[in-house]
Amino acid sequence: MPRAEKGTPKDIANRMKAKGLQKLKFYCQMCNKQCRDENGFKCHMTSDSHLRQMSLFSENAGRIMDSFSREFEKVYLDALRRRHGTKKMNANNVYQEVIRDKSHVHMNSTRWASLAGFVRYLGKTGKCTVEETERGWYVSYIERDPLLLARREAVERRAAAESL
């Protein structure tokens, strides 16, 4: 079967499909459905399965949104802790690492309207130290694991004892 001619809508759609991640604009978090373009998204919005999911969402919107928010926060903090430890990192760079995973929870399905709002939340709840600079928001993870803290303290005591 011949390939689609270069520049035709079919060729463009095939290249987008091969690329993997597509525009966030055409993603439905409730159905976990990615649409290629506005027309596909519009068709999805009128489908029976989407309308069923949205009726479920309307019955317990707060609980569903909270679960998406908790999952997003967990994934973001895991990425920050595992990849960067307690180093000061640009919040947007960490976010870019999180969204590389094709099955990530999208920010627009959480209670936070923007990354800045999410970063402020992390600072208020004491999960990260947060700093706003002219280059953007910077976060650093606050380690709270008791085993790791005890291990660090033991190493520091050993080092202090050796220096005496």
Side-chain angles (χ1 to χ4, degrees), residues 18-122:
K19 192 170 39 172
L21 283 173
Q22 296 168 19
K23 278 191 175 180
L24 174 63
K25 190 175 184 179
F26 306 120
Y27 185 81
C28 176
Q29 183 72 51
M30 281 300 294
C31 303
N32 291 325
K33 174 116 173 92
Q34 174 73 54
C35 299
R36 289 192 199 172
D37 56 14
E38 189 174 359
N39 185 45
F41 192 64
K42 187 176 83 176
C43 290
H44 167 71
M45 299 289 279
T46 58
S47 71
D48 288 339
S49 62
H50 176 76
L51 295 174
R52 213 173 311 123
Q53 289 284 15
M54 293 315 289
S55 69
L56 288 173
F57 178 78
S58 66
E59 291 171 7
N60 49 13
R63 192 170 42 160
I64 292 172
M65 193 168 278
D66 283 346
S67 76
F68 284 146
S69 298
R70 275 193 307 274
E71 187 177 341
F72 179 80
E73 179 183 348
K74 179 184 174 297
V75 169
Y76 188 91
L77 288 174
D78 280 350
L80 182 61
R81 181 176 52 86
R82 287 192 176 137
R83 293 190 183 125
H84 307 291
T86 57
K87 288 190 300 190
K88 184 170 129 179
M89 290 300 300
N90 185 304
N92 195 43
N93 292 350
V94 179
Y95 179 69
Q96 294 298 321
E97 292 172 9
V98 168
I99 65 173
R100 273 192 207 120
D101 175 24
K102 193 170 184 176
S103 63
H104 70 278
V105 173
H106 294 269
M107 173 76 81
N108 63 0
S109 62
T110 65
R111 69 180 95 156
W112 303 288
S114 65
L115 182 61
F118 174 65
V119 169
R120 280 189 224 107
Y121 162 80
L122 291 177

